Amino acid sequence: MPNYKSREEVPLEEKWDLHDIYDSLTTWESDLKSVAERTEQLKTYDGNITDAKSLYDYLVLSEETGYTYKKVYVYAMLQADLDTRDSKPQALLDRAKSLGVKLSSATSFFMPFLLSLDEKTLKSYIDQIEGLKYFEEDLMESYRYKTHVLTKEKEEVLSDLGEALSSPSNTFGMINNADIKFGKVTTKDGEKVELTRGMYSKLIEDDNRDVRREAYKAYYQPYVQLNNTIASTLSAAIKNNVTLAKMRKYPSALEKSLFSDMVPKDVYDNLIKVTKDHITPLHKYQNIRKETLGLDELRQYDLNVPLVKDVKEEITFDEAYQTMLDSLAPLGEEYVETLRSFKEKRYFDVRETPGKRSGAYNLGLYGVHPFVLLNHQDDLDSLFTLVHECGHAMHSWYSSNHQPQITAGYSIFVAEVASTVNEVLLIRYLLKTTKDEKMKKHLLNHFIDSFRGTMFTQVMFAEFEKTTHEKAENGGPLNAEVFNDVYEKIFREFNGNEMVFDDEVKYGWSRIPHFYRPFYVYKYATGYAAAIHIADQLLEGKSETLEKYMTFLKSGSSDYPLELLKAAGVDLTKPEPIRSALTIFSELVDEFASL
């Protein structure tokens, strides 16, 4: 696996081509200036939308400005993520963010204005100008928010506070990506090297328990040291959520988060309840893990080591890409060929380099194309990450190419479905095509671990979010001690008595960036359950399943997420999809136990 010391060493074909957004910084500057000018123009509509024509003109200008702003912001963000230590792209991003706050402030009058119109007047405007039909659904949807929109003055104040309110998240991001140093660990050759996140994901799977323990202790050390600082950023983020929910007259911060997707609170509560009711197979698996590894006691740093030895194989990026294309054949030729072209067109930034943002993501930019950030390590996990992110990228591509701009973006609630369908198709493909029995066992182990990470771990996180927000809503304190206690209690419940809990366990909450996007992680679990169902149907080769699924991928946000999923054959308002997924998990554990 290549170990690049700088971006210059990475081959061109494994780097993003950001020229697809802007050919030069001059063009970016020009668009930034144009957004700033249009932002001033948008302000002039405050108090001056008096008829159908002025409403239409405002909406067109607002959409055009928003589109250009997104390009400006995304370009700066993608540059900044390539090296979080480099102050130049960071400065571009800061300017884009600052302009975003001004744009938000300039348009903050609109929602209160719209809701001051009675529906009859609005409908008469829509009847007068053909172009307003394009905006009709969005305009009418706004009335759902009527009780949650504040006065014009208060909305302006909240917009002006945008940057301040996102400060806890930004601060944590800088601590986590730019400032944290994990110290040194010893390699197999006895050499002391600086630990990185990419390296940690490797070392925590090492056969040598001393190596795993050392990496684990080194990885958690900065989080333990910064425990109070990170607690203050998370506490501020949670209190911001709770305060905004109260100000906007939502029953709770959770219900505020669920409102836009029209997801009933029962869906969230059921997810936690049904998962905890079916926790026994997970505990059984932990026991199998302990026995297979021949341990007297199972600890957190034993949870990621593969249970089947000597099957580690190097999979280059090119090989991983081809395997992905082969495994996704059930999605049809058009899907596979479109995805093949993404690599040739350099939609990916593939390699880990110093200062690069950790992890992986897809960012779909309407009118341009998806951009996928990876930190590819030439192993099986990286293959799964690639397949996962390409699920998102293809969802972005289909929605952007089949929906107008207004409905092209899809809700986070359905986002994890496309990525996980791809993962399930990959694992089923590998299990079917692999002749090596040992590799089959390894893949089964991988499937179980992926299930554990995407379903059980995310539900555990979801319960942590719910509990901590409820504490804030009831006026309870939020500090490092509270977070540690809540996290440790839930972690113990999920992981059972087979595990011996190191002191580091309770600090696990402090390294999770998703907690700064409130009530986001539960969507991984609901998406996973839905995807398991869809993928198994696709593998049966039913043409109507493929047709329904492709329609789902092309639908963007043209309906509420639960409705889009119902049309694809999954009803998450009922506990069955969750129960069914957990039954499959139980079967996988039994199958693995029998081996």
Side-chain angles (χ1 to χ4, degrees):
M1 185 190 76
N3 184 15
Y4 294 109
K5 302 278 187 294
S6 72
R7 270 191 75 69
E8 284 65 42
E9 294 178 14
V10 181
L12 187 69
E13 64 272 14
E14 293 191 349
K15 291 193 277 198
W16 273 328
D17 188 0
L18 296 184
H19 289 107
D20 291 353
I21 313 177
Y22 289 111
D23 54 10
S24 68
L25 199 51
T26 313
T27 323
W28 182 86
E29 291 281 2
S30 162
D31 264 3
L32 185 84
K33 189 177 169 211
S34 154
V35 172
E37 286 164 0
R38 290 191 209 169
T39 298
E40 291 307 309
Q41 230 177 311
L42 285 166
K43 275 188 197 171
T44 64
Y45 282 88
D46 186 0
N48 293 313
I49 300 179
T50 51
D51 55 14
K53 173 82 168 67
S54 50
L55 175 64
Y56 176 69
D57 290 346
Y58 169 80
L59 289 169
V60 169
L61 179 63
S62 177
E63 186 180 67
E64 285 171 357
T65 310
Y67 172 68
T68 310
Y69 172 70
K70 188 164 185 202
K71 277 178 67 181
V72 163
Y73 179 85
V74 165
Y75 182 78
M77 182 192 127
L78 297 180
Q79 296 272 26
D81 282 353
L82 295 177
D83 190 348
T84 55
R85 306 162 309 172
D86 188 345
S87 58
K88 282 180 188 165
Q90 197 58 55
L92 299 185
L93 185 57
D94 288 344
R95 287 169 66 198
K97 281 180 179 173
S98 173
L99 180 56
V101 171
K102 287 177 185 159
L103 178 57
S104 170
S105 179
T107 54
S108 64
F109 77 90
F110 183 71
M111 191 64 110
F113 155 75
L114 183 64
L115 297 180
S116 71
L117 285 179
D118 63 82
E119 286 189 50
K120 201 188 273 182
T121 307
L122 180 59
K123 280 181 175 156
S124 76
Y125 286 172
I126 292 166
D127 290 340
Q128 287 171 48
I129 293 186
E130 181 62 32
L132 279 172
K133 292 226 173 349
Y134 170 77
F135 298 101
E136 182 172 11
E137 266 187 49
D138 259 28
L139 293 169
M140 300 318 290
E141 163 74 0
S142 303
Y143 281 95
R144 225 170 43 87
Y145 288 82
K146 194 152 191 166
T147 54
H148 306 298
V149 172
L150 307 176
T151 62
K152 185 182 133 195
E153 290 71 25
K154 284 182 180 169
E155 289 291 348
E156 276 174 9
V157 170
L158 277 185
S159 287
D160 290 342
L161 284 171
E163 218 163 340
L165 290 171
S166 61
S167 173
S169 171
N170 294 338
T171 303
F172 175 75
M174 292 311 286
I175 292 170
N176 206 33
N177 290 313
D179 294 342
I180 273 187
K181 296 283 178 285
F182 296 111
K184 299 200 172 209
V185 289
T186 317
T187 64
K188 283 180 178 169
D189 313 325
E191 188 191 346
K192 283 272 184 194
V193 294
E194 198 74 39
L195 182 66
T196 65
R197 280 193 178 83
M199 197 191 298
Y200 176 71
S201 67
K202 289 273 191 209
L203 296 177
I204 203 66
E205 293 180 358
D206 201 280
D207 290 345
N208 185 324
R209 200 172 191 220
D210 292 335
V211 169
R212 298 201 300 272
R213 185 193 294 112
E214 188 188 355
Y216 174 78
K217 298 282 180 191
Y219 184 72
Y220 271 86
Q221 190 185 15
Y223 293 107
V224 175
Q225 285 172 340
L226 294 165
N227 194 225
N228 292 305
T229 304
I230 297 175
S232 76
T233 65
L234 184 58
S235 170
I238 291 171
K239 285 172 182 170
N240 283 352
N241 301 337
V242 168
T243 303
L244 286 170
K246 264 189 201 147
M247 284 177 75
R248 293 198 178 282
K249 301 184 183 70
Y250 288 96
S252 66
L254 171 58
E255 281 153 291
K256 176 182 179 288
S257 286
L258 300 176
F259 187 81
S260 64
D261 285 332
M262 278 271 277
V263 172
K265 187 169 173 282
D266 288 354
V267 169
Y268 196 98
D269 292 338
N270 273 337
L271 173 68
I272 296 173
K273 184 184 181 310
V274 175
T275 305
K276 287 173 91 165
D277 287 347
H278 291 74
I279 206 79
T280 312
L282 179 61
H283 295 171
K284 179 181 176 180
Y285 174 61
Q286 304 289 50
N287 204 18
I288 294 169
R289 177 168 274 284
K290 180 181 159 186
E291 285 171 14
T292 310
L293 292 172
L295 300 172
D296 295 332
E297 48 184 44
L298 186 74
R299 292 179 180 263
Q300 195 181 2
Y301 48 78
D302 301 317
L303 296 183
N304 295 82
V305 59
L307 298 183
V308 185
K309 306 290 179 213
D310 306 321
V311 285
K312 288 194 175 179
E313 57 175 328
E314 190 162 300
I315 307 166
T316 66
F317 182 64
D318 288 347
E319 288 165 347
Y321 211 90
Q322 187 54 51
T323 303
M324 169 177 71
L325 296 176
D326 294 342
S327 71
L328 300 180
L331 295 173
E333 196 179 335
E334 181 198 81
Y335 186 103
V336 172
E337 289 311 310
T338 303
L339 184 52
R340 189 189 303 280
S341 72
F342 284 12
K343 182 166 173 267
E344 294 150 18
K345 293 170 180 171
R346 290 174 53 203
Y347 292 180
F348 297 89
D349 203 86
V350 179
R351 297 293 173 185
E352 182 182 30
T353 47
K356 184 176 171 179
R357 178 174 161 156
S358 63
Y361 63 69
N362 159 70
L363 199 153
L365 184 57
Y366 188 82
V368 185
H369 58 71
F371 290 85
V372 180
L373 178 131
L374 301 167
N375 281 279
H376 197 82
Q377 302 286 326
D378 287 359
D379 58 13
L380 191 66
D381 278 344
S382 292
L383 166 60
F384 275 92
T385 301
L386 171 68
V387 168
H388 180 97
E389 295 307 333
C390 284
H392 289 311
M394 288 298 289
H395 195 177
S396 297
W397 188 88
Y398 271 115
S399 284
S400 289
N401 281 281
H402 291 86
Q403 292 291 325
Q405 189 184 335
I406 202 163
T407 51
Y410 47 82
S411 150
I412 291 166
F413 190 90
V414 296
E416 293 310 322
V417 175
S419 53
T420 311
V421 163
N422 280 18
E423 281 196 71
V424 177
L425 290 176
L426 172 67
I427 193 94
R428 297 285 195 205
Y429 169 81
L430 293 173
L431 281 166
K432 191 178 164 189
T433 56
T434 305
K435 301 282 183 280
D436 186 326
E437 276 306 305
K438 198 180 245 189
M439 178 51 93
K440 275 190 181 171
K441 287 179 200 170
H442 175 68
L443 288 164
L444 202 51
N445 179 202
H446 184 94
F447 199 179
I448 291 169
D449 281 342
S450 139
F451 216 120
R452 190 191 61 187
T454 314
M455 193 92 193
F456 292 102
T457 302
Q458 304 308 328
V459 175
M460 183 179 83
F461 289 166
E463 189 177 5
F464 175 81
E465 285 193 284
K466 185 171 186 276
T467 307
T468 50
H469 277 79
E470 282 170 357
K471 280 185 183 295
E473 281 159 349
N474 296 326
L478 284 184
N479 52 41
E481 192 181 344
V482 171
F483 289 138
N484 291 350
D485 288 349
V486 171
Y487 190 83
E488 186 174 18
K489 178 177 176 289
I490 297 171
F491 191 91
R492 281 174 182 270
E493 255 184 285
F494 272 77
N495 287 281
N497 298 325
E498 285 309 323
M499 195 183 295
V500 174
F501 296 90
D502 286 272
D503 197 47
E504 283 86 354
V505 162
K506 66 185 178 206
Y507 298 98
W509 60 269
S510 62
R511 58 184 186 84
I512 311 297
H514 287 107
F515 289 157
Y516 296 84
R517 292 181 77 174
F519 305 108
Y520 170 91
V521 292
Y522 88 100
K523 299 171 188 183
Y524 283 116
T526 50
Y528 197 81
I532 291 270
H533 177 81
I534 291 167
D536 282 356
Q537 295 279 303
L538 284 166
L539 286 165
E540 286 175 20
K542 294 176 183 166
S543 59
E544 67 271 25
T545 305
L546 180 57
E547 211 172 294
K548 278 182 184 175
Y549 182 60
M550 295 314 284
T551 303
F552 165 79
L553 290 183
K554 294 170 184 174
S555 296
S557 56
S558 57
D559 203 344
Y560 294 119
L562 290 178
E563 297 308 313
L564 292 173
L565 284 172
K566 272 182 197 168
V570 183
D571 186 355
L572 285 169
T573 60
K574 299 190 167 82
E576 279 74 28
I578 309 299
R579 208 177 284 139
S580 164
L582 294 167
T583 303
I584 289 174
F585 178 77
S586 183
E587 288 165 3
L588 291 170
V589 171
D590 289 344
E591 190 182 342
F592 189 70
S594 73
L595 295 173

